[in-house]
């Protein structure tokens, strides 16, 4: 019996994404007014979209669909970093106007970087045993 590893990898990534969504929403729903939980749900949502995008990209039928889901996952992964930094700054009580501006600058830089990478079209997709 031959195992198609791309489906195994995709299943792991999609299950991981669902797990992130469940953990994030259950944490957030416990206290929706908590600023820490609000920042956490944003970061976990980007993480879940990142995992889901790469999972679907792995089993995409053609290069166009793979490119679409790669783009979605890449933007989510780029936005995860500033959202996680913002969460950690707030969690450790280091949040201030200066740090909020830093996080905003990180969001802008990440969005610019992600857009630049997607528009450059220099990405080459290679089909491997793992997707």
């Amino acid at each position: 019996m031959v195992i198609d590893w791309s489906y195994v990898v995709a299943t792991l990534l999609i299950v991981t994404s669902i797990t992130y969504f469940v953990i994030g929403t259950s944490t957030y729903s416990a206290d929706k007014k908590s600023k820490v939980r609000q920042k956490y749900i944003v970061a976990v949502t980007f993480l879940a979209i990142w995992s889901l995008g790469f999972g679907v990209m792995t089993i995409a039928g053609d290069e166009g669909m793979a490119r679409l889901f790669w783009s979605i996952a890449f933007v989510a992964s780029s936005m995860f970093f500033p959202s996680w930094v913002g969460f950690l700054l707030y969690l450790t009580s280091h949040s201030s106007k200066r740090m909020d501006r830093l996080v905003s600058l990180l969001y802008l830089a990440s969005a610019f970087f992600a857009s630049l990478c997607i528009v450059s079209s220099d990405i080459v997709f290679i089909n491997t045993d793992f997707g």
Side-chain angles (χ1 to χ4, degrees):
M1 181 172 126
V2 178
I3 296 176
D4 189 351
W5 287 105
S6 62
Y7 287 102
V8 173
V9 171
T11 301
L12 290 172
L13 288 167
I14 292 169
V15 168
T16 301
S17 176
I18 293 167
T19 304
Y20 289 144
F21 275 126
V22 169
I23 291 171
T25 54
S26 64
T27 301
Y28 175 69
S29 63
D31 183 9
K32 294 180 181 178
K33 294 180 183 176
S34 170
K35 193 82 164 166
V36 173
R37 291 173 194 257
Q38 291 171 0
K39 291 184 178 290
Y40 180 74
I41 189 72
V42 170
V44 170
T45 300
F46 283 130
L47 196 59
I49 294 169
W50 179 11
S51 182
L52 181 66
F54 278 123
V56 176
M57 177 197 73
T58 303
I59 55 173
D62 60 22
E63 186 174 338
M65 290 304 289
R67 214 172 264 285
L68 171 69
F69 285 105
W70 174 84
S71 298
I72 292 168
F74 188 75
V75 169
S77 68
S78 298
M79 294 295 113
F80 170 73
F81 177 70
S83 67
W84 191 251
V85 168
F87 165 71
L88 290 177
L89 286 173
Y90 193 84
L91 183 68
T92 59
S93 301
H94 284 91
S95 187
S96 65
K97 287 195 181 252
R98 182 174 171 227
M99 289 300 155
D100 289 344
R101 283 193 295 258
L102 172 67
V103 171
S104 296
L105 183 64
L106 284 173
Y107 270 112
L108 286 172
S110 294
F112 176 75
F113 174 71
S115 300
L116 188 66
C117 288
I118 291 170
V119 185
S120 72
S121 298
D122 287 341
I123 288 53
V124 176
F125 290 91
I126 299 170
N127 194 6
T128 67
D129 290 340
F130 301 106

mmCIF file of all heavy atoms in Angstrom, residues 91-111:
data_model
loop_
_atom_site.group_PDB
_atom_site.id
_atom_site.type_symbol
_atom_site.label_atom_id
_atom_site.label_comp_id
_atom_site.label_asym_id
_atom_site.label_seq_id
_atom_site.Cartn_x
_atom_site.Cartn_y
_atom_site.Cartn_z
ATOM 1 N N LEU A 91 0.533 41.334 27.599
ATOM 2 C CA LEU A 91 0.537 40.309 28.634
ATOM 3 C C LEU A 91 1.572 40.613 29.717
ATOM 4 O O LEU A 91 1.326 40.390 30.904
ATOM 5 C CB LEU A 91 0.820 38.940 28.013
ATOM 6 C CG LEU A 91 0.789 37.736 28.941
ATOM 7 C CD1 LEU A 91 -0.636 37.488 29.438
ATOM 8 C CD2 LEU A 91 1.301 36.509 28.210
ATOM 9 N N THR A 92 2.725 41.129 29.320
ATOM 10 C CA THR A 92 3.807 41.410 30.270
ATOM 11 C C THR A 92 3.751 42.829 30.813
ATOM 12 O O THR A 92 4.701 43.280 31.446
ATOM 13 C CB THR A 92 5.180 41.169 29.613
ATOM 14 O OG1 THR A 92 5.293 42.008 28.465
ATOM 15 C CG2 THR A 92 5.350 39.718 29.227
ATOM 16 N N SER A 93 2.659 43.530 30.547
ATOM 17 C CA SER A 93 2.449 44.906 31.036
ATOM 18 C C SER A 93 3.491 45.890 30.505
ATOM 19 O O SER A 93 3.844 46.845 31.174
ATOM 20 C CB SER A 93 2.422 44.943 32.568
ATOM 21 O OG SER A 93 1.405 44.127 33.059
ATOM 22 N N HIS A 94 4.009 45.618 29.320
ATOM 23 C CA HIS A 94 4.939 46.545 28.680
ATOM 24 C C HIS A 94 4.239 47.405 27.628
ATOM 25 O O HIS A 94 4.883 48.070 26.839
ATOM 26 C CB HIS A 94 6.103 45.788 28.033
ATOM 27 C CG HIS A 94 7.101 45.295 29.016
ATOM 28 N ND1 HIS A 94 7.007 44.052 29.580
ATOM 29 C CD2 HIS A 94 8.190 45.884 29.557
ATOM 30 C CE1 HIS A 94 8.014 43.881 30.422
ATOM 31 N NE2 HIS A 94 8.738 44.978 30.433
ATOM 32 N N SER A 95 2.937 47.346 27.616
ATOM 33 C CA SER A 95 2.176 48.101 26.627
ATOM 34 C C SER A 95 2.152 49.576 27.003
ATOM 35 O O SER A 95 1.903 49.942 28.138
ATOM 36 C CB SER A 95 0.747 47.553 26.550
ATOM 37 O OG SER A 95 0.059 48.163 25.501
ATOM 38 N N SER A 96 2.465 50.413 26.032
ATOM 39 C CA SER A 96 2.434 51.863 26.200
ATOM 40 C C SER A 96 2.157 52.466 24.825
ATOM 41 O O SER A 96 2.085 51.746 23.834
ATOM 42 C CB SER A 96 3.766 52.372 26.759
ATOM 43 O OG SER A 96 4.808 52.146 25.824
ATOM 44 N N LYS A 97 1.999 53.776 24.766
ATOM 45 C CA LYS A 97 1.758 54.409 23.462
ATOM 46 C C LYS A 97 2.930 54.153 22.528
ATOM 47 O O LYS A 97 2.742 53.914 21.341
ATOM 48 C CB LYS A 97 1.519 55.904 23.635
ATOM 49 C CG LYS A 97 0.172 56.227 24.232
ATOM 50 C CD LYS A 97 -0.138 57.700 24.034
ATOM 51 C CE LYS A 97 -1.473 57.988 24.675
ATOM 52 N NZ LYS A 97 -2.504 58.210 23.714
ATOM 53 N N ARG A 98 4.124 54.182 23.061
ATOM 54 C CA ARG A 98 5.317 53.947 22.240
ATOM 55 C C ARG A 98 5.324 52.516 21.704
ATOM 56 O O ARG A 98 5.610 52.274 20.525
ATOM 57 C CB ARG A 98 6.557 54.208 23.080
ATOM 58 C CG ARG A 98 7.834 54.053 22.316
ATOM 59 C CD ARG A 98 9.028 54.462 23.156
ATOM 60 N NE ARG A 98 10.236 54.104 22.487
ATOM 61 C CZ ARG A 98 11.250 53.496 23.063
ATOM 62 N NH1 ARG A 98 11.206 53.193 24.337
ATOM 63 N NH2 ARG A 98 12.322 53.199 22.380
ATOM 64 N N MET A 99 4.998 51.565 22.554
ATOM 65 C CA MET A 99 4.966 50.158 22.124
ATOM 66 C C MET A 99 3.803 49.907 21.167
ATOM 67 O O MET A 99 3.928 49.113 20.242
ATOM 68 C CB MET A 99 4.860 49.226 23.338
ATOM 69 C CG MET A 99 6.115 49.175 24.163
ATOM 70 S SD MET A 99 7.495 48.578 23.151
ATOM 71 C CE MET A 99 8.860 49.285 24.012
ATOM 72 N N ASP A 100 2.674 50.584 21.388
ATOM 73 C CA ASP A 100 1.547 50.452 20.458
ATOM 74 C C ASP A 100 1.932 50.961 19.074
ATOM 75 O O ASP A 100 1.544 50.383 18.061
ATOM 76 C CB ASP A 100 0.321 51.212 20.980
ATOM 77 C CG ASP A 100 -0.304 50.524 22.184
ATOM 78 O OD1 ASP A 100 0.006 49.341 22.437
ATOM 79 O OD2 ASP A 100 -1.105 51.184 22.879
ATOM 80 N N ARG A 101 2.707 52.049 19.030
ATOM 81 C CA ARG A 101 3.192 52.558 17.735
ATOM 82 C C ARG A 101 4.162 51.566 17.096
ATOM 83 O O ARG A 101 4.144 51.374 15.886
ATOM 84 C CB ARG A 101 3.850 53.921 17.909
ATOM 85 C CG ARG A 101 2.861 55.053 18.078
ATOM 86 C CD ARG A 101 3.541 56.397 17.939
ATOM 87 N NE ARG A 101 4.498 56.608 19.010
ATOM 88 C CZ ARG A 101 4.288 57.366 20.078
ATOM 89 N NH1 ARG A 101 3.152 58.004 20.215
ATOM 90 N NH2 ARG A 101 5.216 57.507 21.007
ATOM 91 N N LEU A 102 4.986 50.929 17.920
ATOM 92 C CA LEU A 102 5.912 49.923 17.411
ATOM 93 C C LEU A 102 5.138 48.751 16.796
ATOM 94 O O LEU A 102 5.470 48.285 15.703
ATOM 95 C CB LEU A 102 6.824 49.405 18.528
ATOM 96 C CG LEU A 102 7.715 48.219 18.157
ATOM 97 C CD1 LEU A 102 8.759 48.629 17.129
ATOM 98 C CD2 LEU A 102 8.367 47.622 19.379
ATOM 99 N N VAL A 103 4.099 48.288 17.479
ATOM 100 C CA VAL A 103 3.292 47.188 16.954
ATOM 101 C C VAL A 103 2.596 47.615 15.666
ATOM 102 O O VAL A 103 2.539 46.851 14.693
ATOM 103 C CB VAL A 103 2.282 46.692 18.015
ATOM 104 C CG1 VAL A 103 1.304 45.700 17.415
ATOM 105 C CG2 VAL A 103 3.020 46.062 19.191
ATOM 106 N N SER A 104 2.093 48.848 15.616
ATOM 107 C CA SER A 104 1.470 49.356 14.383
ATOM 108 C C SER A 104 2.482 49.392 13.243
ATOM 109 O O SER A 104 2.160 49.041 12.105
ATOM 110 C CB SER A 104 0.896 50.751 14.612
ATOM 111 O OG SER A 104 -0.134 50.710 15.549
ATOM 112 N N LEU A 105 3.692 49.814 13.541
ATOM 113 C CA LEU A 105 4.758 49.836 12.539
ATOM 114 C C LEU A 105 5.095 48.417 12.076
ATOM 115 O O LEU A 105 5.319 48.184 10.882
ATOM 116 C CB LEU A 105 6.005 50.523 13.107
ATOM 117 C CG LEU A 105 7.177 50.695 12.156
ATOM 118 C CD1 LEU A 105 6.788 51.617 10.995
ATOM 119 C CD2 LEU A 105 8.379 51.247 12.886
ATOM 120 N N LEU A 106 5.090 47.461 13.009
ATOM 121 C CA LEU A 106 5.332 46.060 12.636
ATOM 122 C C LEU A 106 4.229 45.543 11.713
ATOM 123 O O LEU A 106 4.514 44.825 10.753
ATOM 124 C CB LEU A 106 5.421 45.186 13.880
ATOM 125 C CG LEU A 106 6.708 45.257 14.689
ATOM 126 C CD1 LEU A 106 6.568 44.456 15.977
ATOM 127 C CD2 LEU A 106 7.879 44.751 13.877
ATOM 128 N N TYR A 107 2.975 45.909 12.008
ATOM 129 C CA TYR A 107 1.869 45.519 11.129
ATOM 130 C C TYR A 107 2.065 46.095 9.724
ATOM 131 O O TYR A 107 1.900 45.391 8.722
ATOM 132 C CB TYR A 107 0.525 45.989 11.689
ATOM 133 C CG TYR A 107 -0.156 45.012 12.607
ATOM 134 C CD1 TYR A 107 -0.296 45.283 13.956
ATOM 135 C CD2 TYR A 107 -0.678 43.816 12.125
ATOM 136 C CE1 TYR A 107 -0.936 44.396 14.812
ATOM 137 C CE2 TYR A 107 -1.316 42.919 12.964
ATOM 138 C CZ TYR A 107 -1.438 43.221 14.301
ATOM 139 O OH TYR A 107 -2.069 42.331 15.135
ATOM 140 N N LEU A 108 2.414 47.373 9.645
ATOM 141 C CA LEU A 108 2.624 48.009 8.337
ATOM 142 C C LEU A 108 3.782 47.359 7.578
ATOM 143 O O LEU A 108 3.666 47.079 6.379
ATOM 144 C CB LEU A 108 2.879 49.507 8.505
ATOM 145 C CG LEU A 108 1.668 50.350 8.861
ATOM 146 C CD1 LEU A 108 2.090 51.778 9.197
ATOM 147 C CD2 LEU A 108 0.673 50.363 7.716
ATOM 148 N N ALA A 109 4.881 47.135 8.276
ATOM 149 C CA ALA A 109 6.045 46.517 7.630
ATOM 150 C C ALA A 109 5.718 45.095 7.174
ATOM 151 O O ALA A 109 6.106 44.692 6.070
ATOM 152 C CB ALA A 109 7.235 46.518 8.593
ATOM 153 N N SER A 110 4.988 44.351 7.985
ATOM 154 C CA SER A 110 4.618 42.982 7.614
ATOM 155 C C SER A 110 3.677 42.961 6.424
ATOM 156 O O SER A 110 3.818 42.132 5.527
ATOM 157 C CB SER A 110 3.968 42.277 8.802
ATOM 158 O OG SER A 110 4.896 42.098 9.834
ATOM 159 N N ALA A 111 2.719 43.882 6.407
ATOM 160 C CA ALA A 111 1.783 43.963 5.280
ATOM 161 C C ALA A 111 2.526 44.349 4.001
ATOM 162 O O ALA A 111 2.275 43.777 2.932
ATOM 163 C CB ALA A 111 0.679 44.970 5.578
#
